[in-house]
Amino acid sequence: MTFTNSKEFAEKLDREDDLQDYRSRFFIPKDKNGNDAIYFCGNSLGLQPKSVRAYVEQELKDWETLGVEGHFHAKNPWMPYHELLTDQTARLVGAKPIEVVVMNTLTVNLHLMLVSFYRPTARRHKIVVEANPFPSDRYAVESQIRFHGFDPHRSLIELQPRAGETNLRTEDIEDVLEADGDEIALVLLGGVNYYSGQAFDMERITRTAQAQGCVVGFDLAHAVGNIPLRLHDWNVDFAVWCSYKYLNGGPGGIAGCFVHERHATNAALPRFTGWWGQNKTIRFTMGPRFDAIPGAEGWQLSNPPILPLAVLRASMDLFDAAGMERLRAKSIALTGYLEFLLDQHPSKHFSVITARDPQQRGAQLSLRVKENGRALFDHLTAHGVVCDWREPDVIRVAPVPLYNSFTEVYRFAEIFFGTTENIHRPREH
Ligand SMILES: Cc1ncc(COP(=O)(O)O)c(C=O)c1O
């Protein structure tokens, strides 16, 4: 698409956007003047769909009037309530229904998956992660390595970009996998890295790693609802994600988990178990013998929290109606327009560290600010932009196709390059 640096052009793109009506289905936070904030932070916490209240009130009402009977007689009985999300979730991540479940929170699910899929031996004990993985993932894998009696200094490989580069090249990842493959037990990458915004070639990495006998898992916190996923076809072993970012599942919302079908009925896989993973036909006989539900549901521990599930249903219905294909097409244009506008005034003060290739990124652009980055971030905030700051020097900006507009992207660039108050005067070359 050829872009133009003008408000009229941005407005034209908005008029032509067939997803434009979705914005009105969300509550948009206000800036200090009472105008809509430019909310480019859906990669951190997605906005609240207006329909959430009705979904939650239904469950509050049923609890109010039915008490415990709601488990079986609520409008949507709570016993199988999580199953209402199965088909939509499967569509979103490119899985079969048996391969997905909505449960717990991300780091909990990651540990559950590591229990099953990280089975180190003296020879094959290493875990590969990308440079700068999300800290919780690092803590989780390091603790698992120690739990198995190994030392993270020897067993954790952190892939580094080439000197002077900010993104990993797929061929460099493959080189590591091919060189050290027989010592690598597990490859765990963020589908989209939270810091750089790089989207990895999950299919190719999975193929190469599995050819070396490694297990492959992805943390999809920044990928789900952001980029198209085909987890089943890519033959990924497992994946975990949270719902509070692009999926608008609400703060601390309920997370998701994918276990490939070929592992689903493998009783030899060790796992931590709880009664909600128990065969549904005998769960309430309360017997001592555990017989796992085939599929990802067999990894459930507890009966799930209905209210967060209700919140997530509201958003997933919007995702289903909008369709991931249309969302992705708009997202590529929206983020491409942001990149185009930022490129209009090259400056030594900031650089885009996210990949330039739209196939290697989602909605987010990460801007590295050389000096006074925090002050620039505060300037954006003071002008009604909601984005976020990640130490030591990065501002993350994520226009989200469900509720952001091209006009907002244009306005963001105006504020970013504002001449009067701008900290760096970025128009200087
Ligand atoms: C990439 C990534 N992984 C893991 C987490 C941790 O998620 P949770 O707190 O839901 O366990 C986050 C949270 O933002 C994240 O961005």
Side-chain angles (χ1 to χ4, degrees):
M1 186 185 279
T2 313
F3 296 120
T4 304
N5 181 6
S6 79
K7 187 161 177 263
E8 293 68 35
F9 179 75
E11 287 170 348
K12 177 173 161 295
L13 289 183
D14 281 336
R15 277 196 304 278
E16 290 168 0
D17 171 15
D18 63 353
L19 294 172
Q20 60 178 304
D21 290 346
Y22 282 86
R23 178 178 173 85
S24 65
R25 303 191 198 183
F26 287 86
F27 289 111
I28 311 289
K30 301 290 179 198
D31 66 16
K32 62 181 189 301
N33 301 317
N35 301 315
D36 284 355
I38 298 175
Y39 193 85
F40 284 176
C41 217
N43 57 338
S44 181
L45 183 71
L47 291 180
Q48 184 186 142
K50 290 178 180 166
S51 52
V52 157
R53 200 168 298 267
Y55 282 72
V56 172
E57 272 174 2
Q58 177 68 50
E59 304 320 316
L60 291 175
K61 188 77 200 158
D62 286 342
W63 180 25
E64 181 184 319
T65 55
L66 297 169
V68 70
E69 291 298 319
H71 284 299
F72 300 98
H73 301 302
K75 180 169 177 234
N76 299 300
W78 302 328
M79 258 281 279
Y81 194 93
H82 66 280
E83 295 170 25
L84 295 172
L85 284 150
T86 302
D87 288 348
Q88 289 170 324
T89 303
R91 276 196 287 281
L92 197 65
V93 300
K96 295 187 174 182
I98 196 176
E99 295 173 318
V100 295
V101 64
V102 174
M103 62 180 187
N104 309 317
T105 44
L106 191 160
T107 308
V108 173
N109 289 343
L110 179 56
H111 273 297
L112 292 176
M113 291 296 102
L114 291 173
V115 163
S116 295
F117 292 105
Y118 177 53
R119 308 291 302 155
T121 62
R123 173 102 186 107
R124 196 187 271 280
H125 55 92
K126 295 186 178 171
I127 299 182
V128 173
V129 295
E130 80 261 40
N132 206 3
F134 192 80
S136 196
D137 292 10
R138 182 195 298 275
Y139 307 149
V141 296
E142 287 194 356
S143 68
Q144 290 272 348
I145 288 169
R146 282 194 204 93
F147 179 76
H148 287 282
F150 293 90
D151 175 2
H153 288 109
R154 284 193 57 237
S155 299
L156 187 64
I157 302 178
E158 196 173 330
L159 300 164
Q160 295 298 338
R162 293 185 190 186
E165 298 187 5
T166 50
N167 292 284
L168 284 159
R169 298 190 192 194
T170 309
E171 62 267 28
D172 291 355
I173 299 175
E174 289 182 316
D175 283 350
V176 172
L177 297 176
E178 276 156 11
D180 292 339
D182 56 355
E183 295 182 0
I184 297 168
L186 174 74
V187 177
L188 176 73
L189 300 181
V192 174
N193 178 265
Y194 85 102
Y195 193 82
S196 69
Q198 179 180 11
F200 293 105
D201 186 337
M202 292 182 246
E203 181 175 19
R204 198 167 134 192
I205 293 167
T206 302
R207 198 183 319 119
T208 307
Q210 288 174 343
Q212 300 298 322
C214 318
V215 173
V216 183
F218 289 100
D219 171 348
L220 301 176
H222 283 264
V224 71
N226 181 19
I227 59 172
L229 299 167
R230 307 216 49 77
L231 298 181
H232 177 85
D233 292 348
W234 296 342
N235 206 35
V236 168
D237 291 285
F238 72 87
V240 292
W241 57 91
C242 56
S243 69
Y244 43 77
K245 300 176 186 296
Y246 295 99
L247 294 190
N248 314 305
I254 195 154
C257 186
F258 165 91
V259 180
H260 198 279
E261 189 180 33
R262 72 202 136 82
H263 300 303
T265 50
N266 181 359
L269 268 182
R271 69 177 86 183
F272 285 173
T273 51
W275 75 315
W276 224 252
Q278 169 75 319
N279 178 339
K280 291 173 200 180
T281 59
I282 56 167
R283 185 190 285 146
F284 281 90
T285 60
M286 303 300 209
R289 192 180 62 83
F290 181 76
D291 173 25
I293 303 169
E297 276 195 271
W299 271 263
Q300 293 175 108
L301 299 179
S302 305
N303 79 103
I306 299 300
L307 301 183
L309 285 170
V311 172
L312 185 56
R313 282 186 62 219
S315 178
M316 292 293 280
D317 284 350
L318 292 179
F319 262 91
D320 239 17
M324 207 44 220
E325 218 168 283
R326 285 198 300 167
L327 286 166
R328 175 63 170 160
K330 177 174 171 187
S331 179
I332 288 175
L334 208 53
T335 299
Y337 192 45
L338 174 62
E339 177 184 46
F340 166 82
L341 293 174
L342 290 170
D343 284 345
Q344 296 309 297
H345 303 290
S347 160
K348 62 181 186 302
H349 294 295
F350 81 92
S351 57
V352 175
I353 63 166
T354 308
R356 293 294 182 146
D357 171 9
Q359 296 312 315
Q360 289 188 58
R361 69 184 185 208
Q364 172 184 326
L365 290 186
S366 301
L367 314 181
R368 172 159 286 149
V369 189
K370 306 269 161 32
E371 286 162 32
N372 298 329
R374 185 73 217 196
L376 175 57
F377 173 73
D378 292 343
H379 164 85
L380 293 171
T381 307
H383 286 76
V385 175
V386 184
C387 51
D388 68 16
W389 170 252
R390 284 288 172 266
E391 296 291 348
D393 56 4
V394 160
I395 295 174
R396 301 189 307 174
V397 189
V400 168
L402 252 182
Y403 46 74
N404 287 130
S405 67
F406 292 90
T407 313
E408 286 182 294
V409 169
Y410 182 79
R411 180 75 193 116
F412 171 86
E414 270 189 337
I415 296 168
F416 190 85
F417 289 116
T419 43
T420 44
E421 300 102 321
N422 197 310
I423 312 303
H424 290 128
R425 300 185 298 282
R427 282 175 197 278
E428 286 174 11
H429 288 228

